[in-house]
Amino acid sequence: MTDHALLLVNLGSPASTSVADVRSYLNQFLMDPYVIDLPWPVRRLLVSLILIKRPAQSAHAYQSIWWQDGSPLVVISQRLQRVMSEQWKCGPVELAMRYGEPSIESALLKLAAKGQRKITLAPLYPQFADSTVTTVVEEARRVIREHRLDVQLNVLQPFYDEPEYIDALVASVRPHLEQSFDHLLLSFHGLPERHLQKLNPGHSLDGAGDCCQDASPQVLAKCYRGQCFRTAKAFAGQMGLADEQWSVSFQSRLGRAKWIEPYTEARLDELAKQGVKKLLVMCPAFVADCIETLEEIGDRGREQFRAAGGEDLVLVPCLNDDPQWAQALNALCLRAPLAL
């Protein structure tokens, strides 16, 4: 059977480390209403102010982690695509980025031109958020609608606690945990609190995380923070880690809005002051290493931890193109339901 295509979608990356390319990428990313959920005039003004200095700063960060073959995120995603092409027996496997190239539009049009009428869309995000999953699905729907494509769209659902995903996560991290370490920090990408409260009105957030950890199934379905805690607890439970051996934090804050806590930056200082010398950090919100893992944690985070009194911070690689992860992703995509 070769009539069921798979479209893998990740976040994206600038075309190069030039300031101009980084500015173009950031403009597309930040002007997405699912990323900065403000009225267009306010969003346009805010993004224009951000783009005054941010592109040069980000370009420097990208230069520090850029590979000879290009953006780590894109290169790793291409490797995963090749591995998935061997796993997915139903049809062709394409790769797209929500921002930058290759675009979701170009990938869908390519599949349609090949005569593919059934496509599973796979947003490569374990936990749900409007700024990741929803924007990918809505962009795919826009392309199908505007180009009048005759396709059936299935969508991979958030897989934050699916056994195949947790098993792959455990297998990839186990070699690192078998070495001596003082603490494991699971650093997830952060979100503004209003993103969560908008989806679940009345759902309060607190620094201890009790509310999210005890969320009802209805709230949990759209609670990014709660899903992150579920991932962490499932992982730690399967690894047999004691409560004091691990903790959760949230990174990558941008702007002045209140973001979900605890913050990774604060947690790094706290752990160092508590006497943690060797710290392992893994980033389970990402399935591919990128600027947020390699530069923000692997470079700046390590420097911060050492400056606060720690001795070593070891960044655990993401799942990337690990064969067991590809097998897990294949199983998850085969179960993806029809988009409503």
mmCIF file of all heavy atoms in Angstrom, residues 108-141:
data_model
loop_
_atom_site.group_PDB
_atom_site.id
_atom_site.type_symbol
_atom_site.label_atom_id
_atom_site.label_comp_id
_atom_site.label_asym_id
_atom_site.label_seq_id
_atom_site.Cartn_x
_atom_site.Cartn_y
_atom_site.Cartn_z
ATOM 1 N N LEU A 108 2.737 19.943 0.972
ATOM 2 C CA LEU A 108 1.399 19.434 0.657
ATOM 3 C C LEU A 108 1.139 19.451 -0.849
ATOM 4 O O LEU A 108 0.568 18.504 -1.403
ATOM 5 C CB LEU A 108 0.336 20.254 1.379
ATOM 6 C CG LEU A 108 0.170 19.964 2.880
ATOM 7 C CD1 LEU A 108 -0.786 20.963 3.510
ATOM 8 C CD2 LEU A 108 -0.325 18.536 3.103
ATOM 9 N N LEU A 109 1.580 20.507 -1.517
ATOM 10 C CA LEU A 109 1.393 20.578 -2.964
ATOM 11 C C LEU A 109 2.218 19.496 -3.673
ATOM 12 O O LEU A 109 1.779 18.929 -4.675
ATOM 13 C CB LEU A 109 1.778 21.966 -3.478
ATOM 14 C CG LEU A 109 0.851 23.113 -3.050
ATOM 15 C CD1 LEU A 109 1.391 24.453 -3.547
ATOM 16 C CD2 LEU A 109 -0.560 22.885 -3.582
ATOM 17 N N LYS A 110 3.386 19.208 -3.148
ATOM 18 C CA LYS A 110 4.228 18.153 -3.714
ATOM 19 C C LYS A 110 3.552 16.798 -3.591
ATOM 20 O O LYS A 110 3.529 16.005 -4.544
ATOM 21 C CB LYS A 110 5.587 18.154 -3.009
ATOM 22 C CG LYS A 110 6.584 17.146 -3.552
ATOM 23 C CD LYS A 110 7.919 17.275 -2.830
ATOM 24 C CE LYS A 110 8.945 16.291 -3.363
ATOM 25 N NZ LYS A 110 10.254 16.437 -2.650
ATOM 26 N N LEU A 111 2.979 16.527 -2.432
ATOM 27 C CA LEU A 111 2.285 15.254 -2.221
ATOM 28 C C LEU A 111 1.033 15.162 -3.090
ATOM 29 O O LEU A 111 0.736 14.104 -3.651
ATOM 30 C CB LEU A 111 1.923 15.091 -0.744
ATOM 31 C CG LEU A 111 3.096 14.821 0.204
ATOM 32 C CD1 LEU A 111 2.641 14.879 1.651
ATOM 33 C CD2 LEU A 111 3.744 13.462 -0.097
ATOM 34 N N ALA A 112 0.303 16.260 -3.189
ATOM 35 C CA ALA A 112 -0.898 16.263 -4.030
ATOM 36 C C ALA A 112 -0.541 16.023 -5.489
ATOM 37 O O ALA A 112 -1.260 15.315 -6.212
ATOM 38 C CB ALA A 112 -1.636 17.587 -3.862
ATOM 39 N N ALA A 113 0.580 16.600 -5.938
ATOM 40 C CA ALA A 113 1.013 16.415 -7.330
ATOM 41 C C ALA A 113 1.384 14.961 -7.603
ATOM 42 O O ALA A 113 1.311 14.495 -8.749
ATOM 43 C CB ALA A 113 2.197 17.329 -7.629
ATOM 44 N N LYS A 114 1.772 14.234 -6.552
ATOM 45 C CA LYS A 114 2.090 12.812 -6.696
ATOM 46 C C LYS A 114 0.844 11.936 -6.646
ATOM 47 O O LYS A 114 0.934 10.710 -6.739
ATOM 48 C CB LYS A 114 3.054 12.373 -5.585
ATOM 49 C CG LYS A 114 4.453 12.967 -5.675
ATOM 50 C CD LYS A 114 5.309 12.453 -4.520
ATOM 51 C CE LYS A 114 6.734 12.969 -4.611
ATOM 52 N NZ LYS A 114 7.573 12.495 -3.472
ATOM 53 N N GLY A 115 -0.305 12.577 -6.477
ATOM 54 C CA GLY A 115 -1.552 11.826 -6.434
ATOM 55 C C GLY A 115 -1.930 11.309 -5.067
ATOM 56 O O GLY A 115 -2.839 10.478 -4.948
ATOM 57 N N GLN A 116 -1.258 11.796 -4.019
ATOM 58 C CA GLN A 116 -1.564 11.338 -2.661
ATOM 59 C C GLN A 116 -2.871 11.973 -2.189
ATOM 60 O O GLN A 116 -3.009 13.191 -2.191
ATOM 61 C CB GLN A 116 -0.426 11.695 -1.710
ATOM 62 C CG GLN A 116 0.895 11.031 -2.047
ATOM 63 C CD GLN A 116 0.819 9.515 -1.944
ATOM 64 O OE1 GLN A 116 0.275 8.987 -0.988
ATOM 65 N NE2 GLN A 116 1.373 8.827 -2.928
ATOM 66 N N ARG A 117 -3.811 11.154 -1.768
ATOM 67 C CA ARG A 117 -5.122 11.655 -1.336
ATOM 68 C C ARG A 117 -5.363 11.415 0.154
ATOM 69 O O ARG A 117 -6.372 11.848 0.688
ATOM 70 C CB ARG A 117 -6.231 10.979 -2.158
ATOM 71 C CG ARG A 117 -6.201 11.358 -3.632
ATOM 72 C CD ARG A 117 -6.538 12.824 -3.827
ATOM 73 N NE ARG A 117 -6.424 13.261 -5.215
ATOM 74 C CZ ARG A 117 -5.368 13.908 -5.709
ATOM 75 N NH1 ARG A 117 -4.339 14.183 -4.904
ATOM 76 N NH2 ARG A 117 -5.326 14.275 -6.961
ATOM 77 N N LYS A 118 -4.455 10.717 0.810
ATOM 78 C CA LYS A 118 -4.549 10.505 2.245
ATOM 79 C C LYS A 118 -3.204 10.860 2.858
ATOM 80 O O LYS A 118 -2.176 10.302 2.480
ATOM 81 C CB LYS A 118 -4.918 9.052 2.562
ATOM 82 C CG LYS A 118 -5.121 8.786 4.048
ATOM 83 C CD LYS A 118 -5.572 7.340 4.292
ATOM 84 C CE LYS A 118 -5.804 7.086 5.782
ATOM 85 N NZ LYS A 118 -6.235 5.696 6.045
ATOM 86 N N ILE A 119 -3.216 11.818 3.781
ATOM 87 C CA ILE A 119 -1.972 12.322 4.367
ATOM 88 C C ILE A 119 -2.104 12.366 5.887
ATOM 89 O O ILE A 119 -3.085 12.888 6.418
ATOM 90 C CB ILE A 119 -1.644 13.737 3.845
ATOM 91 C CG1 ILE A 119 -1.479 13.728 2.316
ATOM 92 C CG2 ILE A 119 -0.376 14.272 4.511
ATOM 93 C CD1 ILE A 119 -1.341 15.115 1.702
ATOM 94 N N THR A 120 -1.117 11.807 6.568
ATOM 95 C CA THR A 120 -1.039 11.967 8.015
ATOM 96 C C THR A 120 -0.079 13.106 8.309
ATOM 97 O O THR A 120 1.089 13.074 7.910
ATOM 98 C CB THR A 120 -0.566 10.678 8.708
ATOM 99 O OG1 THR A 120 -1.632 9.721 8.680
ATOM 100 C CG2 THR A 120 -0.199 10.947 10.171
ATOM 101 N N LEU A 121 -0.596 14.115 8.967
ATOM 102 C CA LEU A 121 0.187 15.277 9.368
ATOM 103 C C LEU A 121 0.742 15.017 10.759
ATOM 104 O O LEU A 121 -0.015 14.717 11.687
ATOM 105 C CB LEU A 121 -0.711 16.518 9.368
ATOM 106 C CG LEU A 121 -0.076 17.844 9.768
ATOM 107 C CD1 LEU A 121 0.862 18.331 8.668
ATOM 108 C CD2 LEU A 121 -1.163 18.891 10.043
ATOM 109 N N ALA A 122 2.050 15.119 10.915
ATOM 110 C CA ALA A 122 2.691 14.784 12.184
ATOM 111 C C ALA A 122 3.445 15.977 12.751
ATOM 112 O O ALA A 122 4.641 16.164 12.482
ATOM 113 C CB ALA A 122 3.645 13.607 12.012
ATOM 114 N N PRO A 123 2.768 16.820 13.554
ATOM 115 C CA PRO A 123 3.487 17.885 14.267
ATOM 116 C C PRO A 123 4.411 17.239 15.298
ATOM 117 O O PRO A 123 3.949 16.479 16.148
ATOM 118 C CB PRO A 123 2.367 18.687 14.944
ATOM 119 C CG PRO A 123 1.095 18.270 14.256
ATOM 120 C CD PRO A 123 1.327 16.858 13.839
ATOM 121 N N LEU A 124 5.694 17.520 15.219
ATOM 122 C CA LEU A 124 6.667 16.824 16.054
ATOM 123 C C LEU A 124 6.816 17.481 17.428
ATOM 124 O O LEU A 124 7.909 17.883 17.854
ATOM 125 C CB LEU A 124 8.015 16.746 15.332
ATOM 126 C CG LEU A 124 7.994 15.922 14.035
ATOM 127 C CD1 LEU A 124 9.334 15.999 13.328
ATOM 128 C CD2 LEU A 124 7.618 14.471 14.327
ATOM 129 N N TYR A 125 5.682 17.572 18.136
ATOM 130 C CA TYR A 125 5.646 18.172 19.467
ATOM 131 C C TYR A 125 4.937 17.206 20.413
ATOM 132 O O TYR A 125 3.755 16.919 20.214
ATOM 133 C CB TYR A 125 4.900 19.504 19.446
ATOM 134 C CG TYR A 125 5.393 20.473 18.402
ATOM 135 C CD1 TYR A 125 4.659 20.706 17.238
ATOM 136 C CD2 TYR A 125 6.586 21.172 18.577
ATOM 137 C CE1 TYR A 125 5.110 21.599 16.278
ATOM 138 C CE2 TYR A 125 7.042 22.065 17.627
ATOM 139 C CZ TYR A 125 6.302 22.275 16.481
ATOM 140 O OH TYR A 125 6.747 23.162 15.526
ATOM 141 N N PRO A 126 5.617 16.717 21.441
ATOM 142 C CA PRO A 126 4.973 15.761 22.347
ATOM 143 C C PRO A 126 3.784 16.344 23.106
ATOM 144 O O PRO A 126 2.795 15.659 23.329
ATOM 145 C CB PRO A 126 6.103 15.384 23.319
ATOM 146 C CG PRO A 126 7.365 15.683 22.571
ATOM 147 C CD PRO A 126 7.051 16.885 21.744
ATOM 148 N N GLN A 127 3.895 17.631 23.512
ATOM 149 C CA GLN A 127 2.847 18.263 24.307
ATOM 150 C C GLN A 127 2.066 19.270 23.455
ATOM 151 O O GLN A 127 2.607 19.871 22.534
ATOM 152 C CB GLN A 127 3.447 18.968 25.533
ATOM 153 C CG GLN A 127 4.223 18.053 26.471
ATOM 154 C CD GLN A 127 5.657 17.803 26.034
ATOM 155 O OE1 GLN A 127 6.232 18.563 25.266
ATOM 156 N NE2 GLN A 127 6.260 16.725 26.540
ATOM 157 N N PHE A 128 0.807 19.473 23.818
ATOM 158 C CA PHE A 128 -0.063 20.363 23.044
ATOM 159 C C PHE A 128 0.110 21.823 23.443
ATOM 160 O O PHE A 128 0.163 22.164 24.624
ATOM 161 C CB PHE A 128 -1.530 19.983 23.244
ATOM 162 C CG PHE A 128 -2.470 20.995 22.626
ATOM 163 C CD1 PHE A 128 -2.782 20.919 21.282
ATOM 164 C CD2 PHE A 128 -2.998 22.028 23.390
ATOM 165 C CE1 PHE A 128 -3.623 21.868 20.698
ATOM 166 C CE2 PHE A 128 -3.842 22.976 22.814
ATOM 167 C CZ PHE A 128 -4.153 22.896 21.468
ATOM 168 N N ALA A 129 0.157 22.676 22.430
ATOM 169 C CA ALA A 129 0.057 24.124 22.620
ATOM 170 C C ALA A 129 -0.462 24.714 21.316
ATOM 171 O O ALA A 129 -0.190 24.202 20.223
ATOM 172 C CB ALA A 129 1.412 24.735 22.977
ATOM 173 N N ASP A 130 -1.206 25.799 21.427
ATOM 174 C CA ASP A 130 -1.674 26.486 20.226
ATOM 175 C C ASP A 130 -0.496 26.946 19.372
ATOM 176 O O ASP A 130 -0.554 26.927 18.140
ATOM 177 C CB ASP A 130 -2.530 27.697 20.608
ATOM 178 C CG ASP A 130 -4.001 27.349 20.762
ATOM 179 O OD1 ASP A 130 -4.400 26.244 20.338
ATOM 180 O OD2 ASP A 130 -4.756 28.174 21.311
ATOM 181 N N SER A 131 0.584 27.377 20.045
ATOM 182 C CA SER A 131 1.732 27.942 19.336
ATOM 183 C C SER A 131 2.589 26.890 18.649
ATOM 184 O O SER A 131 3.553 27.240 17.949
ATOM 185 C CB SER A 131 2.594 28.752 20.306
ATOM 186 O OG SER A 131 2.999 27.951 21.395
ATOM 187 N N THR A 132 2.266 25.616 18.823
ATOM 188 C CA THR A 132 2.997 24.551 18.133
ATOM 189 C C THR A 132 2.030 23.703 17.302
ATOM 190 O O THR A 132 2.019 23.770 16.078
ATOM 191 C CB THR A 132 3.753 23.664 19.140
ATOM 192 O OG1 THR A 132 2.849 23.217 20.171
ATOM 193 C CG2 THR A 132 4.896 24.414 19.779
ATOM 194 N N VAL A 133 1.186 22.953 17.975
ATOM 195 C CA VAL A 133 0.307 22.010 17.279
ATOM 196 C C VAL A 133 -0.785 22.716 16.473
ATOM 197 O O VAL A 133 -0.969 22.445 15.281
ATOM 198 C CB VAL A 133 -0.328 21.023 18.281
ATOM 199 C CG1 VAL A 133 -1.315 20.102 17.568
ATOM 200 C CG2 VAL A 133 0.751 20.206 18.987
ATOM 201 N N THR A 134 -1.516 23.622 17.115
ATOM 202 C CA THR A 134 -2.655 24.253 16.437
ATOM 203 C C THR A 134 -2.225 25.014 15.197
ATOM 204 O O THR A 134 -2.879 24.934 14.151
ATOM 205 C CB THR A 134 -3.402 25.195 17.397
ATOM 206 O OG1 THR A 134 -3.854 24.447 18.532
ATOM 207 C CG2 THR A 134 -4.600 25.814 16.715
ATOM 208 N N THR A 135 -1.138 25.757 15.290
ATOM 209 C CA THR A 135 -0.714 26.556 14.139
ATOM 210 C C THR A 135 -0.309 25.678 12.953
ATOM 211 O O THR A 135 -0.541 26.039 11.799
ATOM 212 C CB THR A 135 0.414 27.525 14.526
ATOM 213 O OG1 THR A 135 0.665 28.416 13.429
ATOM 214 C CG2 THR A 135 1.697 26.805 14.903
ATOM 215 N N VAL A 136 0.269 24.502 13.236
ATOM 216 C CA VAL A 136 0.622 23.572 12.159
ATOM 217 C C VAL A 136 -0.636 23.041 11.483
ATOM 218 O O VAL A 136 -0.747 23.025 10.248
ATOM 219 C CB VAL A 136 1.475 22.404 12.708
ATOM 220 C CG1 VAL A 136 1.560 21.262 11.685
ATOM 221 C CG2 VAL A 136 2.859 22.881 13.067
ATOM 222 N N VAL A 137 -1.607 22.612 12.284
ATOM 223 C CA VAL A 137 -2.840 22.044 11.734
ATOM 224 C C VAL A 137 -3.612 23.099 10.945
ATOM 225 O O VAL A 137 -4.122 22.831 9.839
ATOM 226 C CB VAL A 137 -3.709 21.463 12.863
ATOM 227 C CG1 VAL A 137 -5.048 20.975 12.308
ATOM 228 C CG2 VAL A 137 -2.981 20.327 13.570
ATOM 229 N N GLU A 138 -3.696 24.304 11.478
ATOM 230 C CA GLU A 138 -4.444 25.359 10.790
ATOM 231 C C GLU A 138 -3.766 25.785 9.497
ATOM 232 O O GLU A 138 -4.442 26.121 8.515
ATOM 233 C CB GLU A 138 -4.631 26.559 11.719
ATOM 234 C CG GLU A 138 -5.597 26.291 12.864
ATOM 235 C CD GLU A 138 -6.951 25.793 12.377
ATOM 236 O OE1 GLU A 138 -7.522 26.411 11.449
ATOM 237 O OE2 GLU A 138 -7.438 24.770 12.907
ATOM 238 N N GLU A 139 -2.447 25.789 9.461
ATOM 239 C CA GLU A 139 -1.743 26.116 8.224
ATOM 240 C C GLU A 139 -1.993 25.039 7.169
ATOM 241 O O GLU A 139 -2.210 25.348 5.989
ATOM 242 C CB GLU A 139 -0.245 26.262 8.492
ATOM 243 C CG GLU A 139 0.619 26.448 7.251
ATOM 244 C CD GLU A 139 0.350 27.726 6.466
ATOM 245 O OE1 GLU A 139 -0.456 28.570 6.923
ATOM 246 O OE2 GLU A 139 0.937 27.874 5.376
ATOM 247 N N ALA A 140 -1.988 23.781 7.576
ATOM 248 C CA ALA A 140 -2.286 22.700 6.632
ATOM 249 C C ALA A 140 -3.711 22.832 6.101
ATOM 250 O O ALA A 140 -3.951 22.654 4.894
ATOM 251 C CB ALA A 140 -2.095 21.349 7.310
ATOM 252 N N ARG A 141 -4.638 23.141 6.967
ATOM 253 C CA ARG A 141 -6.028 23.325 6.536
ATOM 254 C C ARG A 141 -6.160 24.502 5.570
ATOM 255 O O ARG A 141 -6.923 24.443 4.608
ATOM 256 C CB ARG A 141 -6.923 23.529 7.758
ATOM 257 C CG ARG A 141 -7.193 22.240 8.535
ATOM 258 C CD ARG A 141 -7.965 22.525 9.797
ATOM 259 N NE ARG A 141 -8.468 21.286 10.410
ATOM 260 C CZ ARG A 141 -8.833 21.168 11.674
ATOM 261 N NH1 ARG A 141 -8.750 22.220 12.484
ATOM 262 N NH2 ARG A 141 -9.293 20.023 12.139
#
